[in-house]
Amino acid sequence: MSSSQTNSIPAFWRKIVSGMIIGATTIAQISLPRTANAQTGAYCRATPDAIAQKELLRQRATNGDGGAKVEYQAFIKAQGDRLAQCRNQNWPKTQAIWLRLHPCDARPGELDKVLDHIANKGYNEVYVEVFYDSRVLLPVADNPTPWISVVQSRGAENVDLLADAIQKGRQRGLKVYAWMFTMNFGYAYGARSDRQQTLARNGRGQDSTAIVPDGSQVFIDPYNRQAQIDYYQLVQSILKRRPDGVLFDYIRYPRGSGAGSVASNVRDLWIYGQASQQVLLERAENNQGRELIQRFLNQGRITAGDISAVRSLYPSEGSPQWQNKRSDNLPAELWNLTVAHAAQGVLEFLKFSTNNVMQQRLPAGAVFFPSANKPVGNGGFDSRLQPWDSFSPALEWHAMAYSICGNRADCIVAEISRVLNSAEAQTRVVPALAGVWGESFQGHISLEEQMRAIRQQLPQLQAVSHFAYSWQEGESDRARQFCQL
């Protein structure tokens, strides 16, 4: 990213810093068992008879029964057609689920079983996690990135779980999105001696491992060129598999606990990486401005003595100047500038990441917390600095509406409403709900109750996602996670 690309800062949090420059394989039609053609049940779920019949066919096909394999493929195709018809006739038109795959999903029939469960529950989209915790869902034999492959077993170097998931998902009528971390590159990346310059740092010299409770999240400086190159290479590798869309998560800075969850001083901002500081200094429009920005970074504040000193250093310049400076309240102006600069890094890294996806005419989506862009207290901000209300309206907006409000859904609806009020008419808003079917889970009321409230109060929404498959199928997920391939 050249300095010319960062010379202006777009609108950010308008109230506070307003105006700152800132195809599935065709299966031969054969006679199907009656259960495959039966009507789907509530929430477009497959009937128990259809589920049992399909599972029996899957097991026989996995064990090498050629006839059962043909019948199984025809069965899942017919069930996929029925699912599409049901979803088209019922709310919501799109019902998606978030899924992490494990090495054991490379075992014969295992991925089929997982995707069958998803289709059985009435989902017609699945968001497969392809980059997380310093791991990528790419085969060892075709992984040009600095991250390790999820599947590491000897003899499995060519296993491509993402490509397999896309193919098998489409056979079942599922759209398969690639879901990936964005500014969180993972602990192993941050531990590399040749990537230390890429890390986001605050004014205390810390990287994110110092403030994220488990130390597993390592956030990068979004202005750093090496981080951009590494991520570009990753996105290109994912796009080679031709997913139906790509979702970008962790488009933000880290959030600590307690007082660490609020940024109220410039030293709290993650703008002290070398690249970020350089771009910030380039926002100065004269020498006085550059010197004062540097002092503000170094000291965490400026005094009347600092202002007098910089004017003495450059007496031919009238006053300190930087992009879109509006008043003579220099401490406040510098705070606004540095906050907007931090947020601009998030926006530019997201734009950089989504460009190639959109150029291929694939949907690109941004995953965010509705509360992560709020001012806090007297002049502070949520430390995540996630300016989602300035995300491109051409992106899908995947709002994580995870609030807990007892046995009601009011706060969830309020979160989603806030997002809808900020979104333009053409923006596809897809709220992500946390929970499981049929019961409360970890404080979250059942998905049925959440869905009912959204449908009643926000009927214009036509797409909803559920986090996560691992919650709904906890025992199965643990078995898949810890087995030996």
Side-chain angles (χ1 to χ4, degrees):
M1 185 182 300
S2 67
S3 60
S4 63
Q5 291 174 291
T6 57
N7 277 342
S8 63
I9 310 177
F12 163 61
W13 299 345
R14 296 169 182 84
K15 182 177 179 181
I16 307 297
V17 199
S18 176
M20 290 293 290
I21 304 177
I22 318 246
T25 303
T26 301
I27 305 297
Q29 295 299 310
I30 64 173
S31 178
L32 293 175
R34 179 183 60 82
T35 50
N37 287 318
Q39 289 289 336
T40 48
Y43 301 100
C44 292
R45 294 174 181 147
T47 62
D49 284 349
I51 292 171
Q53 181 75 22
K54 183 169 61 171
E55 175 59 13
L56 178 61
L57 288 172
R58 185 195 66 82
Q59 293 177 8
R60 289 171 52 197
T62 301
N63 290 331
D65 185 330
K69 182 176 181 180
V70 172
E71 194 173 355
Y72 175 59
Q73 292 295 327
F75 196 103
I76 62 175
K77 171 65 167 62
Q79 198 175 56
D81 291 342
R82 178 64 69 188
L83 173 61
Q85 181 182 3
C86 182
R87 286 261 68 98
N88 188 54
Q89 295 173 350
N90 291 275
W91 185 93
K93 304 297 185 190
T94 296
Q95 184 171 276
I97 193 166
W98 304 75
L99 172 69
R100 175 178 290 185
L101 296 178
H102 304 290
C104 284
D105 292 322
R107 295 181 301 184
E110 193 66 41
L111 187 54
D112 293 288
K113 184 178 181 179
V114 170
L115 294 173
D116 281 349
H117 282 170
I118 288 172
N120 289 343
K121 292 186 174 185
Y123 294 104
N124 58 346
E125 285 188 1
V126 56
Y127 304 151
V128 175
E129 198 167 20
V130 299
F131 173 50
Y132 59 94
D133 298 345
S134 287
R135 293 182 288 174
V136 294
L137 201 65
L138 295 171
V140 169
D142 187 18
N143 180 7
T145 78
W147 297 280
I148 65 170
S149 298
V150 170
V151 180
Q152 289 283 307
S153 302
R154 182 176 298 178
E157 292 82 4
N158 291 303
V159 169
D160 195 333
L161 277 179
L162 175 56
D164 291 345
I166 293 169
Q167 177 194 11
K168 292 177 180 293
R170 288 173 180 164
Q171 290 173 353
R172 291 160 174 78
L174 302 171
K175 286 188 176 181
V176 180
Y177 278 51
W179 158 37
M180 55 199 302
F181 285 12
T182 307
M183 288 173 58
N184 176 6
F185 278 21
Y187 180 82
Y189 182 92
R192 290 178 56 139
S193 60
D194 62 345
R195 292 297 191 273
Q196 293 303 298
Q197 81 283 4
T198 70
L199 305 186
R201 298 186 185 278
N202 62 22
R204 300 169 187 87
Q206 298 170 313
D207 63 42
S208 52
T209 59
I211 65 101
V212 176
D214 63 2
S216 66
Q217 299 177 11
V218 173
F219 287 76
I220 49 88
D221 176 352
Y223 292 103
N224 183 272
R225 184 59 178 167
Q226 183 63 59
Q228 294 168 4
I229 291 171
D230 288 340
Y231 200 71
Y232 175 86
Q233 197 169 38
L234 171 60
V235 172
Q236 289 298 97
S237 296
I238 298 302
L239 289 176
K240 281 174 58 179
R241 276 74 189 170
R242 297 298 299 174
D244 293 300
V246 183
L247 301 184
F248 295 89
D249 201 352
Y250 282 93
I251 316 158
R252 59 177 178 86
Y253 296 102
R255 188 185 194 191
S257 56
S261 66
V262 179
S264 56
N265 181 277
V266 65
R267 287 177 173 166
D268 299 327
L269 301 177
W270 297 92
I271 60 173
Y272 284 80
Q274 183 179 357
S276 183
Q277 287 196 64
Q278 181 61 38
V279 174
L280 176 59
L281 292 172
E282 290 173 2
R283 300 194 190 281
E285 295 180 345
N286 64 4
N287 291 314
Q288 285 190 18
R290 185 182 182 93
E291 177 67 21
L292 210 56
I293 292 170
Q294 187 68 72
R295 292 188 183 211
F296 188 62
L297 286 173
N298 293 344
Q299 301 166 184
R301 64 190 181 94
I302 57 166
T303 66
D306 292 316
I307 297 170
S308 177
V310 300
R311 285 177 171 161
S312 297
L313 283 172
Y314 304 100
S316 64
E317 298 177 353
S319 62
Q321 296 296 325
W322 48 79
Q323 289 177 6
N324 208 43
K325 175 172 160 287
R326 294 175 175 171
S327 73
D328 292 328
N329 185 349
L330 298 183
E333 288 287 326
L334 283 168
W335 173 238
N336 288 346
L337 175 70
T338 52
V339 170
H341 169 73
Q344 176 62 16
V346 175
L347 295 173
E348 290 197 3
F349 200 83
L350 176 61
K351 182 178 180 180
F352 168 82
S353 302
T354 57
N355 273 345
N356 285 335
V357 181
M358 301 181 75
Q359 285 171 5
Q360 294 193 23
R361 299 187 182 280
L362 292 173
V367 185
F368 60 90
F369 288 104
S371 62
N373 69 341
K374 287 185 175 181
V376 180
N378 184 21
F381 293 93
D382 186 299
S383 63
R384 291 169 291 188
L385 287 179
Q386 190 169 45
W388 58 261
D389 50 342
S390 293
F391 288 172
S392 168
L395 298 175
E396 294 182 358
W397 287 16
H398 290 255
M400 295 179 283
Y402 292 174
S403 288
I404 295 176
C405 34
N407 61 354
R408 301 176 61 85
D410 299 18
C411 58
I412 298 167
V413 172
E415 280 192 305
I416 300 170
S417 296
R418 181 168 179 255
V419 173
L420 289 171
N421 289 337
S422 295
E424 296 189 15
Q426 75 269 30
T427 302
R428 184 176 189 242
V429 175
V430 186
L433 309 179
V436 301
W437 295 102
E439 60 181 308
S440 297
F441 184 78
Q442 296 186 6
H444 300 278
I445 61 175
S446 71
L447 291 175
E448 288 94 336
E449 293 174 276
Q450 295 183 54
M451 299 270 282
R452 187 180 303 115
I454 293 170
R455 185 178 186 183
Q456 289 174 349
Q457 300 183 54
L458 303 171
Q460 69 271 38
L461 282 172
Q462 291 298 318
V464 175
S465 70
H466 296 156
F467 186 90
Y469 183 83
S470 61
W471 286 15
Q472 295 187 22
E473 302 288 341
E475 184 177 345
S476 168
D477 189 76
R478 286 187 293 274
R480 290 167 42 240
Q481 184 176 358
F482 296 112
C483 78
Q484 295 295 317
L485 176 59

